[in-house]
Structure formats: structure tokens, C-alpha cells
Amino acid sequence: MSAQDADGSRRTVIEGAHIATVDAAGTEHLAGHIVFERGLIAAVGAGPAPAEWREDADVLDASGCLVTPGLINTHHHLYQWLTRGYAQDDILFDWLTSLYPLWSRIDARLTGVGAAGAMAVLARSGCTTVGDHHYIFPRGSGDIVGAIVEAAGRIGVRLHATRGSMDLGASDGGLPPDFAVETTDAALAASAQAVERYHDPSFASMVRVAIAPCSPFSVTADLLRESAVLARSLNVRLHTHASETVEEDAYCLERLGMSPTDYLDSLGWLGSDVWMAHGVHLDESAIARYAETGTGVAHCPSSNARLAAGIAPVRDLLAAGVPVGLGVDGAASNESGQLGTEIREAVLMNRLRTGADSMSVRAALRIATVGGARVLGREAELGSLDIGKLADVAVWRIDGVEHAGILDPVAALGLGALPPISRLFVGGRTVVEDGRLTTAEEAVLAEEVAAASRELAGRR
């Protein structure tokens, strides 16, 4: 790796690979090339790169590899990397009540350590853009959003940080304990401050910030309503959990007198600037309303399976035109923490729900790339290997013993074991090479995470 490659400025030529562009036409090149420089894709095509592109370039022979856009994670809770393995057999509400007391003792330093560990694993699984949802801010915990931003810079991935919040404690009918929530005014003020400090709306932005009250069962109507007004006044996006479990549906019907979709709609929470995590329990009318308003969904198949929440109606969502992206969700409900494996899970889970022909490997790859870009409002910049888009590129090695001889290279990713990363580029900068991070020492990260996990557990 050259010094210039370290910042993405040098011209890079990749050739000899099977290239799945995930463009609008679904173009693929059996032994094609891709060229990028100054952080942008400059050429994509069949066969070797033309001679003029090869001059003064780093040329990577990617024979035996699959090249795709970098994967986009639309929903995560990075801090949960420190609390994996807890409440292993619980449904969502029981899992949350088991873990709230532990999470409510976290601070900025521990959050930053967990976020770095989680993002390292995401990068090694092909992820170049990370959407995070952090919603627990204990008194005196420091600048948690800033710690997550710093961790993303350490690993070298793009970050969509959402400043979450909870203001509905158990004494007022919410699920979280009272000591884990903020006041409504404090949450709104801190959300505005996070946007002011860290949000960068520019084309090649490495950090964007959204506003994200946690869920209908942990947030008051006032905070939801005012958060929507605030986000739109600041021109940033909105995110929350919605329709994840049958218990959530029952809670909303009993306490609010309506479904989660109708409740959120009544508070201004459906729109093309909004994406919801999960959307497992959406009926036909809810799907139609999501489609009508352009509201997006982060599909998190492994987490939904781990908590027995169900399988989201992804085929129906896509057929209706709803933007759908892929998500890992918090590592305390998906201990793998890998985004690449969620492509296979999306294929398998949705076939289980709606039939063997209902989710192809290419449809799942599209959700994981350009679908996620659309959910995050960045389809003009990310998600496909189109000229002029950002050079966020994953090079997967598929000539090893796990995949050698496989008929379809894309099926190696969508049906086989997760292929190792030969190179992962973010804005043309190498972040992973031969399966290892180039930006941070993995052994150091592992030691830091283990120590932080022990420290947090000891605070109970």
C-alpha cells in the first residue's frame, strides 16, 4: 500500500475480478476492471483497464475475487459490543429490562472502545458505512456521540451517528427504568448540539448525524413530535425503532389506542427523511403508508431471529417501493456483529417467510448496498459502482477452499460462507487488506474491548 493510497488520493486500478456493480441495470462484468482516484470512481467496465488508466497507478490483480460496492449498515447499537452474550434466551422486552441497568452505567470512554471494536468487525465483513443508534446517556457520561465519531475515524469507516434518547421511564408507563432516561428538554437540546458539532452534509462526508428517539415504549409523544420538528429545522434525518415485536404492537394498542405506524404517523414520523428499524409487524395498510411517504426500513434478520421477533415482510415492502436497507442491530442481540453475513441471512429468512424464489442473492446484495444508501439518503454518493460515486469498494476473495469452483460468484457471498476481504476501500483509502485492518491494531482493540467489558460489568 502506497503512502498516497493511505489517504485515497492515488489512482487505483482493480482488474480481473467478477464485478457486481449493483447499478440500476444490475450490470456485472465477468473479468472486469474498476478505476478510482481522488476518492471517486472514474471507470468501470469489462476486461482489463485501458492503458491510459494504468499509468502511474496502483494496479491490483483481483483474479479469483468478487468486487461489490462497500456494504452499508443502516442500524446498529455500537456500544452493545461490550455486552454480548447476556440474556441469551429472552424476547425483546425481557432482554431490554435485563440489560438496561448495565447500559445505564456506560460512559463516553467505554462507548468509544466498544464502538471501535464493533466497527473493526463491520469493516472486516465488507462494511464501509455504519449507521449507529445510541440512546442511553447517563448523567455525567461525557460526550458519547463524540466518542463514537472518534472511533469511526480510528477505524476509517463512514458514520451515520444518530443521537437517540429516552424520556419515558417505568414510573410513567415506559419500559426503561427511571434512572436510564433524560428529560424531554435535555434530550432535545443535546440532539441539536450533536448535529451542530458533528454533522457534515457534504458529498463525501465521513460523519452525518440524525435525530433518533428510541421507540414508542421508551419515549413520550412530546419528544417524538418535537424531535421531528427539530430534525426538519436542521435538515437532518430521523430514525427510531418501529413494529419490531408483537409485544410492541400490544403495548401501543393498549396504551396509545393505535398501531405503532398510526401512532408515529400522527406525530409527523413518516416521510422520505425517516427510516425505521425492523418493521417486522407491518400489515398491508402500514406498508402502503410507508410506500406513500417514502419511509425507509432497516431489515435486521439475525437480530430478529435471535429475539424471536419474526421475519420482516421484505418482499412486500420492496414490491410496494419502500426503501429497504440491511442492518446488524446491536451486538447484544447479534453477537456476530458482521454485516456481510446478513446478506445470507436476508436470503434465507425471507425465503422461509415467502418462498424459495422470493429473495435472490442479487436482491439481498442490492438491499445491503444501494438499498442502504437510499435509506440513509445517500443514493447519489454510495451503494453502486457508478462513475462519479465515492470509491467505497469491497474486494472479496472467492478462490479459497470455501468457494473454489462455485458456479456464481455472487452466490458465494449470498449463500456461502462469508468470503474473506482481500481489500476494502473507503473513499479510495485501504481500510482492510488480506482480511486484516490497516488502520488499527486488532490485538490492541481486542484487549481494550475485553477490559472495557469487564469494567462495565463491574459497575452493576
Side-chain angles (χ1 to χ4, degrees), residues 17 25 64 100 128 131 216 221 308 312 323 341 350 355 392 424 453 457:
Y100 277 140
T128 51
T341 57
N350 286 285
D392 291 10
L424 186 74
S453 297

Side-chain angles (χ1 to χ4, degrees), residues 129-255:
T129 299
V130 178
D132 182 50
H133 186 188
H134 193 101
Y135 51 83
I136 295 184
F137 294 86
R139 237 179 242 106
S141 57
D143 185 2
I144 284 178
V145 175
I148 297 168
V149 170
E150 182 178 350
R154 180 181 180 187
I155 303 304
V157 293
R158 297 188 199 279
L159 175 67
H160 278 241
T162 68
R163 206 296 178 178
S165 52
M166 301 190 298
D167 71 338
L168 186 64
S171 64
D172 293 318
L175 193 64
D178 289 348
F179 60 79
V181 304
E182 302 174 274
T183 67
T184 304
D185 288 344
L188 290 167
S191 297
Q193 185 178 65
V195 173
E196 180 182 356
R197 283 184 179 177
Y198 301 114
H199 179 64
D200 174 8
S202 68
F203 178 83
S205 171
M206 293 298 292
V207 179
R208 292 193 181 173
V209 179
I211 294 176
C214 185
S215 64
F217 50 81
S218 61
V219 174
T220 63
D222 285 344
L223 182 53
L224 282 165
R225 186 186 301 106
E226 293 307 313
S227 291
V229 172
L230 175 63
R232 286 165 181 144
S233 73
L234 298 174
N235 197 29
V236 298
R237 300 178 80 77
L238 286 161
H239 182 49
T240 193
H241 296 88
S243 301
E244 183 175 0
T245 67
V246 293
E247 291 81 17
E248 178 190 338
D249 272 10
Y251 177 96
C252 289
L253 287 171
E254 177 184 346
R255 294 182 178 271

Side-chain angles (χ1 to χ4, degrees), residues 72-120:
I72 296 173
N73 183 17
T74 58
H75 184 67
H76 208 111
H77 307 293
L78 295 171
Y79 74 94
Q80 291 181 14
W81 195 249
L82 302 182
T83 59
R84 288 165 293 154
Y86 289 76
Q88 295 178 24
D89 303 313
D90 287 350
I91 62 172
L92 176 65
F93 278 18
D94 295 338
W95 175 85
L96 284 170
T97 53
S98 295
L99 282 161
Y100 277 140
L102 186 57
W103 294 337
S104 67
R105 287 162 175 78
I106 204 160
D107 58 26
R109 178 176 58 82
L110 294 182
T111 299
V113 172
M119 285 188 277

Side-chain angles (χ1 to χ4, degrees), residues 273-352:
D273 56 350
V274 180
W275 82 104
M276 310 292 191
H278 304 299
V280 173
H281 298 280
L282 295 171
D283 59 19
E284 288 184 10
S285 63
I287 292 172
R289 187 68 182 133
Y290 273 48
E292 179 185 356
T293 57
T295 304
V297 172
H299 176 41
C300 305
S302 289
S303 174
N304 295 156
R306 201 252 205 215
L307 297 172
I311 304 168
V314 174
R315 183 177 69 172
D316 293 340
L317 289 165
L318 293 173
V322 174
V324 179
L326 201 59
V328 171
D329 201 10
S333 65
N334 180 1
E335 279 78 357
S336 158
Q338 297 177 315
L339 184 58
T341 57
E342 294 303 302
I343 297 173
R344 183 174 186 267
E345 293 303 312
V347 171
L348 300 181
M349 292 292 181
N350 286 285
R351 290 183 179 194
L352 188 62

